[in-house]
Amino acid sequence: MMDLFDNVQERIRSFVEENSRLTATVIGLFVLLVVGGLFALVFGGGRIRKQNALPAENFIKREEFFPPRQASMTDDYYFSRVTGEKWSNEERDRWFTIPDESNLHKLGEANDAISDAILEAAP
């Protein structure tokens, strides 16, 4: 491995010695491009043109707006409610209800419909 590295290093050294003018020109052009790029970034970055947006008073509503089809959470409740590790007795009495037979049957059918849709879409 060391011989390969030495061999490559020797070839590069001999190329630079034989083509010193070409090497100096390439290095000079590279440095010039880097300096020009930095100059453009420093002094040209602040002059990015803003898109011309129409003012709000020029807006004309042609059709009624409609909500998106996907379900979304509408209340901030989902993001801001801090829950404890256990429900208090008041919370349990307020929120928990024992499901009856018809609700369990409807839930089972809804879950079956979802799993059937997933399995039908699978290749």
Side-chain angles (χ1 to χ4, degrees):
M1 185 69 174
M2 198 62 163
D3 292 335
L4 178 67
F5 179 71
D6 289 338
N7 190 11
V8 169
Q9 187 177 9
E10 184 60 37
R11 284 186 180 189
I12 291 174
R13 184 177 295 130
S14 66
F15 178 81
V16 169
E17 288 173 359
E18 291 171 8
N19 302 309
S20 59
R21 240 182 173 173
L22 175 65
T23 305
T25 304
V26 169
I27 291 174
L29 286 175
F30 180 73
V31 169
L32 190 63
L33 282 174
V34 169
V35 169
L38 288 174
F39 184 77
L41 283 175
V42 170
F43 294 108
R47 297 183 181 171
I48 297 174
R49 296 182 183 172
K50 294 182 180 179
Q51 294 180 349
N52 294 331
L54 293 175
E57 59 267 6
N58 293 343
F59 176 73
I60 300 170
K61 184 171 98 171
R62 296 187 178 128
E63 296 179 6
E64 289 296 318
F65 292 117
F66 56 92
R69 291 184 183 178
Q70 65 186 15
S72 62
M73 293 182 280
T74 57
D75 296 332
D76 290 339
Y77 170 83
Y78 298 103
F79 300 111
S80 63
R81 180 172 181 250
V82 178
T83 60
E85 290 191 24
K86 288 185 172 182
W87 283 5
S88 67
N89 290 338
E90 296 152 357
E91 287 177 320
R92 183 195 66 212
D93 294 338
R94 180 176 180 191
W95 297 110
F96 184 73
T97 57
I98 298 174
D100 58 353
E101 196 66 36
S102 66
N103 286 339
L104 287 176
H105 184 68
K106 288 178 186 176
L107 179 63
E109 288 177 350
N111 286 338
D112 289 342
I114 291 171
S115 62
D116 288 343
I118 292 171
L119 291 174
E120 288 172 1

